[in-house]
Amino acid sequence: MVGCAQAEDSFKLYHWLVTAAERDSLMVLQRHAEAAGLQWRDVAREQQSSFAGYRQELRRQLADNSPPDAALVISSDVQQLAAEGLLLELDELAETEAWAEVVPAAVQAQARYQEHWFAVPVNLHSTNWIWLNRALMRELDVPELDTWDDLILALDKARAAGVVPLAIGGSAGQHLILFESVCAGLGGPEFYRRVFMDLAPSRSDLVLLEKVFARMSELRPYAGTLDPAIGWSQASELVRTGQALLQVQGGWAMAEFMHYGQEQGRDFECQRFPDTQGMVVFSSDLIVLFNPPEQSIGARTAFASTLMSKDLQGELNVLNGATPARVDVPTDSFSACGQKSINDVRMGGMRGALVESLAMTGANPASPRHAFYDIVSDHFRGVISDREALARLQLLWVRGSTPLPRTVLKGAKTSDLVGQLYDAS
C-alpha cells in the first residue's frame, strides 16, 4: 500500500481542526500520513458560525465534483453519504486488520452502513465531563462532585467568592452538551436511549424530562451573561486562567489545557458529571474516504490503514483528550483523565452504558437535531419556561420527528403547546 501511495498526487483531508490544540492533533495525522508515503495537503477550513457551515462547504465540493480525498465527519454524515454511494467501502481492509475485534460495537454502528465499513473511527470523545480549575478547588474547598447537590454547593461557593461558577457561552451547542449531561445524570442510560436514540419516550420519561428542564433552570443563574462571543474554547480559557471554577464540555477541552502546558492534578481536574459515573455520552471523530478514480484507491486505503494503527491512535488521543477507537491501544502515556476515560469506555461497552451524544451527532440519524438545539438553548437563556420547553420537545416526537419551523415554535402559545402535549400522551 505504501508503494501505491507514493505514486499518487497530494492527499487532501478536509477537516475542522482549527483551535490551537486541534492543530496539534492535525500535525500528528500529517506526520503519520507522510510516513506512509502520502504527500499531505492541508485543506482545513475555518468554520463559519456553526458546524452547518462546514457541512455545507463539503456538500458544495461534492456537488462541484471536486471532493477531497477524505473528510472528517460525524456519524449521521456517514449514513447519508454511504447511502448516496459516495464513499469508498473499506470491508476488505477492515477484515484483513480485524477492526471488528478491537472497535467497540457502539462505535462500529457509527462507522458502518448496512453492515459495511464506510468510515474509520479514530477516537471516542466523551461529553459528560466537568473540567475544574485545581487552584480554585483548593481555595474554595470544592468536594468531589458525585451528586447534584455537590455540584450546586460548588457553584454556590464560587459565586460567593466572586468567581464565575459555570463557564459557558451563548451558543446552542454548549447548552445542548450541558443538557445531555443533566439528562444522563437524572435518567441513566436506558432513559437517555429511549428519549434521544430510539426517539420513543414513555409517559414516565416525559415526567423526568420536566425535572431535567427544572435542573437546567437551576443552573442558569450560575452561567453569567451567556455571551455569544464565548465559544467552548474561550470557556475553557476562563477555567484555565482561574476566572471560572468549572466547565461542562467534551474531552477536547483537556487538549486545550494541555496545549498551554497545564497538567491534570496540578492545574486542572476532570470529573464525570454528577450521577453519570460509569456512563459515557460520546461521539466519534470519523474519517471517510470518497470514491476515487481507480488509480487513487491505493493512497486512500493506505491512509485508512494508517488511521487505524495503534501508534497513531495512541499518540493522537493523548493529545486531543479522547479515547482511542481501538480498545487494544496501550494506556501508559495517557493522563489520569485519559486512563479513566479509556476504562469507562471499556466498562461501559460491556454494560450497555455507551450512548451517542445528542449535541454532537444527533444521537439518532432521524433526530430533529437542530430543533433540539433551538428548544434547549431558548430554555437555558430564559426565553421559554420549563413546561413550554417540554411541550415543544414532545411536539417533535408527536409529529414523527419532523421539526417545526422555529418561527412556528416562537409564535405558539404555551397553553396550546402543553394541551397538544398531554392530548398526544
Side-chain angles (χ1 to χ4, degrees):
M1 288 186 296
V2 171
C4 293
Q6 288 173 334
E8 303 300 333
D9 295 331
S10 59
F11 189 88
K12 306 178 186 70
L13 171 68
Y14 181 63
H15 59 84
W16 57 68
L17 304 175
V18 294
T19 73
E22 287 172 341
R23 299 295 294 186
D24 294 341
S25 297
L26 181 65
M27 294 303 293
V28 173
L29 289 174
Q30 179 175 348
R31 181 159 37 79
H32 280 265
E34 289 177 345
L38 297 171
Q39 300 178 44
W40 184 266
R41 178 178 173 188
D42 186 355
V43 289
R45 180 176 182 273
E46 294 285 343
Q47 291 188 52
Q48 296 178 353
S49 58
S50 70
F51 183 65
Y54 173 88
R55 300 171 87 182
Q56 288 168 2
E57 171 59 18
L58 178 59
R59 277 291 174 184
R60 185 197 64 77
Q61 294 180 38
L62 292 170
D64 291 347
N65 200 30
S66 58
D69 296 285
L72 195 57
V73 298
I74 60 174
S75 58
S76 56
D77 293 325
V78 175
Q79 308 303 308
Q80 184 174 352
L81 293 168
E84 294 174 24
L86 297 172
L87 301 182
L88 181 66
E89 183 185 299
L90 300 168
D91 285 352
E92 184 176 352
L93 179 64
E95 177 69 22
T96 300
E97 298 185 352
W99 292 3
E101 296 179 14
V102 295
V103 177
V107 180
Q108 291 189 41
Q110 292 191 337
R112 301 173 80 165
Y113 172 71
Q114 295 184 345
E115 302 304 316
H116 298 284
W117 289 92
F118 284 102
V120 185
V122 294
N123 57 33
L124 288 83
H125 275 297
S126 178
T127 63
N128 56 316
W129 280 118
I130 294 182
W131 304 97
L132 302 103
N133 181 284
R134 186 66 178 162
L136 287 175
M137 289 180 67
R138 291 190 294 266
E139 178 183 335
L140 301 176
D141 191 25
V142 172
E144 185 78 17
L145 305 181
D146 287 331
T147 67
W148 180 260
D149 289 341
D150 292 335
L151 174 60
I152 298 301
L153 175 61
L155 296 173
D156 280 335
K157 288 183 174 184
R159 183 165 59 181
V163 174
V164 175
L166 173 61
I168 187 169
S171 68
Q174 294 179 74
H175 304 164
L176 203 56
I177 283 178
L178 179 62
F179 174 79
E180 68 186 17
S181 291
V182 174
C183 287
L186 193 59
E190 293 310 314
F191 160 80
Y192 187 100
R193 189 172 283 110
R194 284 193 304 273
V195 172
F196 301 119
M197 298 178 71
D198 299 337
L199 302 178
S202 66
R203 184 182 293 268
S204 61
D205 291 336
L206 298 179
V207 175
L208 203 54
L209 273 170
E210 194 164 13
K211 295 180 181 178
V212 169
F213 281 113
R215 287 194 168 183
M216 292 292 287
S217 292
E218 189 175 357
L219 290 175
R220 187 185 303 123
Y222 299 107
T225 62
L226 297 176
D227 186 347
I230 298 177
W232 71 265
S233 59
Q234 287 76 33
S236 297
E237 183 180 1
L238 292 176
V239 176
R240 175 171 58 82
T241 57
Q243 299 176 69
L245 173 61
L246 63 84
Q247 173 189 30
V248 179
Q249 192 54 252
W252 47 84
M254 181 167 66
E256 294 294 316
F257 296 125
M258 294 190 302
H259 175 80
Y260 291 99
Q262 295 203 337
E263 294 181 11
Q264 181 267 324
R266 184 192 70 187
D267 304 296
F268 69 92
E269 195 53 81
C270 63
Q271 296 182 20
R272 284 296 181 194
F273 194 87
D275 301 314
T276 68
Q277 294 84 351
M279 182 176 175
V280 179
V281 184
F282 81 97
S283 67
S284 289
D285 285 340
L286 300 157
I287 293 181
V288 295
L289 299 109
F290 293 97
N291 272 324
E294 194 66 30
Q295 67 269 24
S296 299
I297 290 179
R300 297 177 196 219
T301 306
F303 184 60
S305 181
T306 298
L307 291 172
M308 277 298 289
S309 70
K310 287 192 285 186
D311 286 346
L312 181 144
Q313 294 218 357
E315 184 179 353
L316 178 69
N317 292 301
V318 165
L319 280 179
N320 67 17
T323 298
R326 301 180 62 111
V327 299
D328 58 349
V329 173
T331 63
D332 297 351
S333 56
F334 286 80
S335 68
C337 292
Q339 292 185 10
K340 175 174 174 52
S341 181
I342 291 171
N343 183 67
D344 287 349
V345 167
R346 292 175 180 177
M347 295 300 102
M350 290 188 287
R351 293 194 300 263
L354 296 183
V355 294
E356 285 199 52
S357 167
L358 174 64
M360 301 308 297
T361 71
N364 181 308
S367 172
R369 182 167 174 249
H370 293 290
F372 276 117
Y373 269 78
D374 292 339
I375 294 167
V376 170
S377 188
D378 281 351
H379 172 264
F380 193 57
R381 291 182 292 107
V383 176
I384 57 177
S385 68
D386 299 353
R387 205 166 188 227
E388 186 175 8
L390 176 62
R392 291 181 177 184
L393 276 189
Q394 176 62 359
L395 281 179
L396 300 180
W397 292 305
V398 169
R399 292 169 179 265
S401 297
T402 301
L404 292 174
R406 192 172 187 182
T407 53
V408 173
L409 288 175
K410 283 189 172 295
K413 294 181 179 179
T414 302
S415 58
D416 294 340
L417 290 166
V418 173
Q420 292 182 58
L421 162 63
Y422 289 103
D423 288 344
S425 299

